[in-house]
Amino acid sequence: MMKRLFLFATALFLLGLAPISAQSFAYMTIHPMVITNDSGPSVMRLNLADNTLTEVVSGADFPKANGIAITTDGSRAIVAAGNYLLIIDVKTNKLAANIRLGSIADENEIAVSNDGRFAYATGPTLGTVWVINLDTRAVSTINVGGKPAKIAVAPDNSRVYVSGCGVSARSFCVIDTTTDTVANTINVNYSTQFVISPDGKNIYLVGATGLEVISTATNAKTANINLDGIGGQVVITPDGKYAYVNTLGIMAKMWTSVIDLASAKVVATINAVGFMAVNPNGKNVHLFSLNNNLITDTIIDTATNTISDIVYSPPQSFLFYVIFLRQIAIAPQLQQPMFSAAGVVNAAGFQGGDVAPGEIITIFGSAIGPPVLTTMRLTSAGLVDNLLADTRVLFDGIPAPLVYVLRNQNSVIVPYAVAGKSTTQAQVEYKGLKSELVALRVASAAPGIFTLNSSGSGQGAILNENMTINSASNPAPRNSVVVLYATGEGQTSPPGIDGKVASDVFPKPLLSVSVQIGGVPAEVLYAGAAPGLVAGVIQVNVRIPNGIIPNNAVPVIFAVGSINGQQGVTLAVR
């Protein structure tokens, strides 16, 4: 990295840029002209709608801010600031946390895994890579040697790539994220800037004579694309069609080279350079630069590979004291959670329609939870929590116990407070953003049997009398007792308690429970709370009628009151 400023253009050419997701807010790290004067901002946010700047982190608190990345869900900006890792809440634009990395204030680069769980920061002084668990805040290190510079995570999160590592600082290291060890080292002639293709198959590494193409399958160089100059920062469009490279030619002339990756040729040159960022829709590449006290955004149209617009930020007095921009990353706009009544189904039978008190349901939608599956947990009071990974589901304002949450699918337990109502207003909240209210009809019961393949049909999730799993290879004998697991029985006696795990008291449904096996009514020996499971799961012990015909797929119908559960559930009987 450059230690002092000769020309702003030179600094602009040498420094890299973290990848982006969508045009919304640009977060940038900057350094003051006078190194000992850290009273200015260290991290700024640029509103791309009106180009206004606001200070996020003060240089007096964290003067060494350098690498910056945005989590894929757009909720957090992660900044490597010397010997600290900063976590900025994008929604509030406030510093949410700082994590100490060590005693040496390095000029770190940073990358974040696509699931938002881990950050990786380089430590050039010690030749290390810091691994930060963003959930637990735990910190560990990986020794890669050399002076690690640029760092990036593979699209599938299985590998981390680091340039500038090894004894000569001219190697390219591949880290296995399952073991957090260096799995491979690739020897290259020159190693600073690189980018990974969207499909993860190739690395485009800025080499001494052009853009080197390295296969991630073999870790071998497969091609070299001539640039007619020395390459700097490189970015790639989301469809993998074009790469853009800041290029330095003779007489300090600089331009942006446009490379068609299919033909491996430069197809255009643009007379502008800057910190590059690609719009995720693939329509534009942004070149950010600092001119006097203005931040300039030069916008390239990727359809024509020409400059479509040049936008300037309003004058800012503090920028007179900035030595240069360090890094820029653009945060995507947080998407409002969305779902409809049609996307609400019984979690056991997957049939839509009415919901019932205590019923376990599945909600399908968009932006209704985190990118990584997060499953239920108990509170200090021993209840299933109603908050997971910044996700809540509300029924008439009452938070529901959560079984699991995911970006497009949540499983929750309808609060017992809806009992006696004809409708309820459901709403999903993620990262503080709420969906529109969705009206759902309420019924006294909405029964459904759980199945082994979680599809709502086929072999039921049924235990034989000896507590083994019922299946075609393990059928239950006639006249024996089997155990069914279901949901949607409605209100209970004593009244159900949201999120309570059945232990000493086992509530039973207010409505009668009946089961048919092979079309024949079966004797129900017990119907009530399932010991050790959350309220909303009902256990039903039934005796298989002696007169049915043995079969590996005998139909089972579970009913509460006059309401039948789904069809298509089967039981193996011998």
Side-chain angles (χ1 to χ4, degrees):
M1 275 295 181
M2 191 174 65
K3 297 298 183 183
R4 54 198 180 99
L5 179 66
F6 294 103
L7 296 170
F8 171 71
T10 306
L12 187 61
F13 171 74
L14 290 176
L15 294 174
L17 171 69
I20 66 169
S21 293
Q23 188 172 2
S24 180
F25 294 106
Y27 282 85
M28 57 190 67
T29 55
I30 59 179
H31 281 194
M33 179 70 76
V34 182
I35 299 300
T36 57
N37 176 16
D38 295 323
S39 59
S42 182
V43 181
M44 299 290 296
R45 183 169 82 167
L46 174 66
N47 187 329
L48 295 179
D50 57 15
N51 296 298
T52 55
L53 284 160
T54 54
E55 177 179 331
V56 184
V57 177
S58 168
D61 297 323
F62 300 98
K64 299 293 184 181
N66 191 61
I68 187 166
I70 308 292
T71 55
T72 53
D73 65 1
S75 64
R76 293 169 293 176
I78 313 298
V79 181
N83 53 339
Y84 285 91
L85 186 87
L86 311 181
I87 301 176
I88 297 169
D89 186 318
V90 171
K91 184 173 182 291
T92 63
N93 199 32
K94 301 291 185 182
L95 181 63
N98 64 83
I99 304 170
R100 188 174 177 84
L101 299 181
S103 59
I104 296 178
D106 257 333
E107 292 186 359
N108 318 76
E109 297 281 351
I110 194 166
V112 178
S113 60
N114 290 313
D115 58 12
R117 297 181 59 195
F118 293 94
Y120 301 88
T122 56
T125 302
L126 298 176
T128 59
V129 169
W130 299 96
V131 182
I132 305 96
N133 186 315
L134 296 176
D135 295 328
T136 66
R137 312 290 168 85
V139 178
S140 60
T141 59
I142 303 171
N143 181 27
V144 297
K147 295 183 178 180
K150 181 75 175 178
I151 189 166
V153 183
D156 64 359
N157 300 318
S158 65
R159 301 172 305 282
V160 173
Y161 295 92
V162 188
S163 64
C165 62
V167 176
S168 65
R170 288 181 175 272
S171 295
F172 197 77
C173 293
V174 183
I175 295 173
D176 184 334
T177 57
T178 59
T179 60
D180 282 345
T181 58
V182 177
N184 292 286
T185 301
I186 307 170
N187 293 321
V188 293
N189 294 325
Y190 183 83
S191 176
T192 303
Q193 295 294 322
F194 70 92
V195 67
I196 303 173
S197 62
D199 60 10
K201 293 182 179 180
N202 291 302
I203 298 167
Y204 296 93
L205 174 70
V206 175
T209 59
L211 194 64
E212 297 182 4
V213 184
I214 298 174
S215 167
T216 58
T218 62
N219 292 324
K221 178 179 172 180
T222 59
N224 184 80
I225 304 172
N226 183 39
L227 294 175
D228 291 328
I230 301 173
Q233 185 204 349
V234 55
V235 298
I236 192 170
T237 52
D239 60 5
K241 183 176 182 180
Y242 293 116
Y244 296 78
V245 187
N246 282 337
T247 310
L248 175 64
I250 60 174
M251 303 297 292
K253 181 181 179 181
M254 295 194 299
W255 65 90
T256 296
S257 300
V258 183
I259 300 170
D260 182 305
L261 295 177
S263 63
K265 294 181 179 180
V266 176
V267 294
T269 58
I270 299 170
N271 291 324
V273 292
F275 294 91
M276 290 189 289
V278 183
N279 192 302
N281 63 19
K283 294 181 179 180
N284 300 109
V285 173
H286 296 259
L287 307 179
F288 291 97
S289 60
L290 182 63
N291 298 297
N292 295 321
N293 65 333
L294 297 176
I295 290 180
T296 303
D297 179 7
T298 302
I299 303 174
I300 299 172
D301 184 338
T302 58
T304 61
N305 286 316
T306 59
I307 296 173
S308 61
D309 200 1
I310 300 177
V311 182
Y312 301 92
S313 69
Q316 303 286 334
S317 60
F318 69 81
L319 289 178
F320 282 115
Y321 302 99
V322 174
I323 185 170
F324 45 66
L325 300 170
R326 298 296 296 191
Q327 296 281 315
I328 301 175
I330 299 180
Q333 294 177 336
L334 291 175
Q335 182 183 348
Q336 182 184 20
M338 296 180 64
F339 74 102
S340 67
V344 179
V345 299
N346 183 288
F350 282 88
Q351 71 271 33
D354 302 345
V355 298
E359 179 191 2
I360 304 176
I361 62 173
T362 297
I363 300 174
F364 295 95
S366 62
I368 59 174
V372 178
L373 177 68
T374 304
T375 56
M376 73 163 65
R377 65 185 178 194
L378 298 181
T379 66
S380 57
L383 302 177
V384 172
D385 210 338
N386 53 33
L387 175 65
L388 284 179
D390 299 314
T391 305
R392 295 195 306 164
V393 179
L394 311 172
F395 291 80
D396 298 327
I398 299 172
L402 302 174
V403 179
Y404 64 80
V405 292
L406 188 59
R407 176 173 290 160
N408 298 323
Q409 182 176 336
N410 294 340
S411 184
V412 309
I413 306 173
V414 179
Y416 285 98
V418 305
K421 297 181 178 181
S422 59
T423 61
T424 182
Q425 298 291 324
Q427 187 174 49
V428 176
E429 178 184 38
Y430 176 60
K431 294 287 184 182
L433 293 178
K434 293 182 178 180
S435 70
E436 299 294 333
L437 292 171
V438 175
L440 302 175
R441 297 193 308 269
V442 177
S444 57
I449 302 176
F450 289 100
T451 59
L452 282 184
N453 62 8
S454 300
S455 69
S457 63
Q459 173 65 54
I462 299 171
L463 296 180
N464 292 335
E465 194 169 283
N466 61 1
M467 293 295 106
T468 59
I469 297 174
N470 180 268
S471 66
S473 60
N474 188 35
R478 287 174 291 180
N479 203 40
S480 67
V481 176
V482 292
V483 180
L484 317 180
Y485 292 94
T487 189
E489 72 274 23
Q491 186 57 281
T492 61
S493 177
I497 299 175
D498 294 340
K500 183 175 176 57
V501 176
S503 56
D504 50 351
V505 177
F506 303 101
K508 295 178 174 57
L510 294 178
L511 298 174
S512 61
V513 171
S514 60
V515 176
Q516 289 188 23
I517 299 177
V520 179
E523 179 187 3
V524 176
L525 303 175
Y526 171 82
L533 299 182
V534 66
V537 178
I538 181 173
Q539 174 180 322
V540 183
N541 300 351
V542 296
R543 187 178 301 280
I544 300 174
N546 199 36
I548 69 168
I549 300 173
N551 194 287
N552 287 336
V554 178
V556 179
I557 299 292
F558 166 61
V560 178
S562 60
I563 304 173
N564 287 340
Q566 83 271 32
Q567 296 186 356
V569 179
T570 62
L571 165 72
V573 179
R574 60 180 171 87

